[in-house]
Amino acid sequence: MKPTKVTLTFDNDNAPIELPILSGSLGSDVIDIRSLGKHGVFTYDPGFLSTASCSSDITFIDGDEGLLYYRGYPIEQLAEHCDFMEVCHLLMHGELPDKEQKKQFTSLISGHSMLHDQLTNIFRGFRRDAHPMAVMVGVVGSMSAFYHDSIDVTDKLSREVSAYRLLAKVPTIAAWSYKYNIGEPFMYPQNRFNYAENFMHMMFATPCEAYEPNPILAKAFERILILHADHEQNASTSTVRLAGSSGANPFACVAAGIASLWGPAHGGANEATLKMLEEIGDVSRIGEYIKRAKDKTDSFRLMGFGHRVYKNMDPRAAIMRHTCHQVLDELGLHNDPMFKLALELEKIALEDEYFVSRRLYPNVDFYSGIVMRAMGIPNCMFTAIFALARTAGWVAQWSEMISDPEVRIGRPRQLYTGSQRRDFVPIELR
Ligand code: CMC
């Protein structure tokens, strides 16, 4: 029989505290510690190693088994059979759409894909060599100044409109961040394309020539979007939820999520992986880098390896590895030296005791960078593409959070380790 409560006892005269145990529909049970503060104690868990920050119906991960479900559907099935719009509908509304719902949803999103014309001035305020992620944080944040008719978070319709606007406009913003960077004219969205093709069009087309996306590459790109769409309570999603818990508008919250995603331990890992492979340069130097990754006095880590939750193969990595082969075949790049180097690095690390004992496996970012590079996407856009895919998860998680009656402003406590009370000393006596 499963336990339903746990008793916390102290090694002094303090009375024991009884805490309920909550069960979800899948996964580990959680101890409900909300009443602890009333007893004058808090829990200590930097990095949330053992803390569930919310309840959610959206995404389930089993790190030991290597499982990832969106609304109950295994990621493998969604990546194989769905397009990104169906996955967005699933994440936002809880169910896969039927044909009519899909048509309506897709046309709603494409109807919002253009940007307010004044927004082009915001782009022009940036340096040309600004990183696309820096531009995205700024431009997405500025959306609340352009679409303030949909920032009343207490209004259901407003919330939906802002969610649609984010899904529709973030690809345009991401593509334009790149166009601005390389000095090419902004390409407007084309509603005849699907979501993935449209992004490729806005990135690669120019006004001088007709552009038709390669269907195999568009399919691979769609898969990248699906695999990155949501991932439970990761750093950027938790950032979006925490920012939103104060009632901040969704554009500001998603801008905060983009900032959090940028770090190399999170979404920035795809760009960092490619940089690392370029730096290693040749199979003969792999040993040197493996040695550095194991050296505790060296801050170097093998990028694209390890995950907080997956202690078995990241299921997204397995799908992306397969996609990697398909894309390289299509492009005749199977002998691409970078891909060969990645495969060799993967093999050596998977056999090394250091990585095996710590259960450090390649994650999705290990392969996604190689796929995107082969598609002609520059390194600086990898994390921006992750951000546009994850916008689907962020808006779904934000919407769930804001309509949850249990939600209160996120306000963690701390273990204070600073000075005890002391008295002010005038400057001349310090
Ligand atoms: N290379 C070398 N050692 C590593 C690595 C790595 N990539 N990742 C973890 N370790 C070691 C770490 O030094 C520690 O060793 P020890 O127990 O001897 O002190 C042990 O493994 C546990 O690591 P941790 O830092 O406590 O694990 P974490 O859960 O806090 O960090 C992680 C998870 C993903 C931040 C980390 O594995 C990492 O920095 N990986 C490289 C960056 C990366 O690829 N990130 C993308 C994650 S997937 C995309 C996403 O969802 O954002």
Side-chain angles (χ1 to χ4, degrees), residues 343-393:
L343 290 185
E344 194 56 28
L345 179 64
E346 177 200 40
K347 187 165 158 265
I348 294 174
L350 286 176
E351 285 166 1
D352 191 291
E353 197 277 331
Y354 174 94
F355 290 89
V356 174
S357 63
R358 287 169 181 76
R359 301 167 79 190
L360 300 170
Y361 294 92
N363 56 53
V364 67
D365 288 331
F366 188 70
Y367 305 104
S368 63
I370 301 170
V371 176
M372 289 194 270
R373 177 176 173 271
M375 290 169 72
I377 297 171
N379 291 14
C380 67
M381 280 302 289
F382 293 177
T383 314
I385 287 166
F386 192 157
L388 89 84
R390 186 55 58 85
T391 299

Side-chain angles (χ1 to χ4, degrees), residues 75-138:
I75 190 67
E76 294 80 3
Q77 294 183 18
L78 297 172
E80 180 67 28
H81 302 294
C82 287
D83 64 26
F84 187 60
M85 281 295 93
E86 288 173 277
V87 170
C88 289
H89 188 283
L90 175 68
L91 291 171
M92 277 183 75
H93 299 301
E95 295 297 339
L96 286 167
D98 62 24
K99 274 191 182 153
E100 190 46 40
Q101 288 167 328
K102 182 176 172 182
K103 207 169 125 200
Q104 276 179 16
F105 185 75
T106 307
S107 105
L108 199 63
I109 299 298
S110 47
H112 278 294
S113 59
M114 265 197 341
L115 299 182
H116 190 292
D117 206 43
Q118 280 288 110
L119 257 168
T120 54
N121 295 333
I122 304 266
F123 281 92
R124 295 204 166 91
F126 286 99
R127 281 170 59 136
R128 284 277 176 193
D129 60 355
H131 192 288
M133 282 296 278
V135 176
M136 281 186 74
V137 172

Side-chain angles (χ1 to χ4, degrees), residues 47 49 228 231 234-236 261 263-270 272-273 290 292-296 300-311 314 316 354-355 358-366 386 390:
L49 289 171
H228 288 85
H231 212 229
N234 54 83
S236 57
L261 184 78
H266 190 11
N270 49 19
T273 301
I290 295 266
R292 281 188 63 194
K294 298 194 295 196
D295 181 353
K296 294 292 168 201
F300 174 78
R301 283 189 165 196
L302 216 49
M303 299 314 289
F305 271 77
H307 198 275
R308 168 62 61 79
V309 184
Y310 294 122
K311 299 302 171 195
D314 174 345
R316 303 167 302 168
Y354 174 94
F355 290 89
R358 287 169 181 76
R359 301 167 79 190
L360 300 170
Y361 294 92
N363 56 53
V364 67
D365 288 331
F366 188 70
F386 192 157
R390 186 55 58 85

